[in-house]
Amino acid sequence: MKTIGSYIRLALFVLLAYLLIEYTVETGDQSTFMVYPIAWLVFGVAVLVVVALEIAVEALNSVLYKALPEDKKLGFEASQAEESKVMLWLKETYHKMLDKKPIENEDEIILDHNYDGIKELDNNLPPWWTYLFYATIIFAVVYMVRFHIFVDYTQHEEFEMELAQAEKEIEEYKRTAKDLIDINTVTLLTDASDLTAGENIYMQNCIACHKADGGGSIGPNLTDEYWILGGGVKNVFKTISEGGRDGKGMVAWKQTLKPLEMAQVASYVISLGGTNPEGAKEPQGDLWAGNE
Ligand code: HEC
């Protein structure tokens, strides 16, 4: 006993499930389904549950219907008939939009032409097509007035606007996606959280050779102004990422540490500058005159 109501209800629930997933998970401008493919699974399960519920409701309905006393059954059937009117209206509209002669009446519209036995019908244009055509005419007029007479904006301006927007988005992305940091874009991090993270990384990986205070043992002193491989955050980041000179013992950390982590530990190393720890190693390398 499928009713139109049940289809509409089903469609609404599916839509609701979709919207709930899309808008309850915060994913900025992107669709939740793009960011978390698992959302599709959740959505699929939700749809299955809704369909199962719908089937259960239908089953319940027919059980209840059977249990109705005879006089009540009539009222129920009347309401069903009411609903099938909607169906009838839909069907009629559909046929109206096609405006096709039924096959029995085709002789009314057959043309005189006879192309080697092939004959032609003179059907009306389907109204849906005609309306669409009128719509394109209206669109064209609006378009012409807006863009060719009043020149709202040109294609070139539109391109420039989109470009500016895209650049803004790229900037925004670079600012938030810190793992994109590389030797060219790295900057000195000064946030306490970044420096603490850097300190933790340093304590875990670096003290064996540079000592906890940065004074240096196997590796050079990191607290003075002399650098073998160049000072400043970019050089220090590069040394950490790519390693020192061959055979000296400073490995490339890019396999172990993420770009952001290397930027954090580089910033921490630089923050050690000028601390003059006790027993620090003699300066090695050249005086770094850079301003970072
Ligand atoms: C196995 C020992 C060892 C470990 C561990 C080590 N380093 Fe080094 N480090 C060295 C040596 C040796 C050098 C000198 C490289 C050279 O002379 O080319 C060096 C050089 C450096 C330099 C350049 C110093 C300069 O004067 O230019 C920096 C910066 C640095 N290390 C940072 C780190 C950081 C950060 C870590 C931890 C992630 C680390 N090192 C872990 C041995 C080590």
Side-chain angles (χ1 to χ4, degrees), residues 205-206 209-210 219-220 227-229 239-240 244-245 248-250 253:
N205 301 293
C206 320
C209 304
H210 293 285
W227 297 88
I228 305 169
L229 301 162
T239 307
I240 296 170
R245 296 167 295 176
K248 292 288 182 183
M250 172 72 182
W253 289 90

Side-chain angles (χ1 to χ4, degrees), residues 201-202 205-210 218-222 224 226-231 235-237 239-240 243-246 248-251 253 257 265-266 269 284-285:
I201 297 163
Y202 184 85
N205 301 293
C206 320
I207 54 177
C209 304
H210 293 285
I218 300 167
N221 182 345
L222 298 177
D224 57 23
Y226 290 80
W227 297 88
I228 305 169
L229 301 162
N235 287 317
V236 170
F237 181 93
T239 307
I240 296 170
R245 296 167 295 176
D246 279 345
K248 292 288 182 183
M250 172 72 182
V251 299
W253 289 90
L257 299 176
V265 74
V269 164
Q284 288 167 278

Side-chain angles (χ1 to χ4, degrees), residues 142-195:
V142 172
Y143 186 90
M144 192 183 78
V145 171
R146 180 168 172 197
F147 291 107
H148 290 275
I149 299 180
F150 292 110
V151 195
D152 192 355
Y153 52 87
T154 62
Q155 287 188 338
H156 190 254
E157 281 163 351
E158 186 178 10
F159 172 72
E160 299 278 316
M161 277 182 321
E162 280 173 12
L163 210 65
Q165 176 64 22
E167 262 158 23
K168 240 170 61 190
E169 277 166 20
I170 291 173
E171 279 309 306
E172 180 68 23
Y173 178 67
K174 275 191 185 159
R175 230 165 33 78
T176 44
K178 287 188 172 174
D179 272 346
L180 278 185
I181 299 168
D182 64 18
I183 292 169
N184 301 310
T185 61
V186 65
T187 50
L188 189 67
L189 304 173
T190 47
D191 281 359
S193 62
D194 285 323
L195 291 178

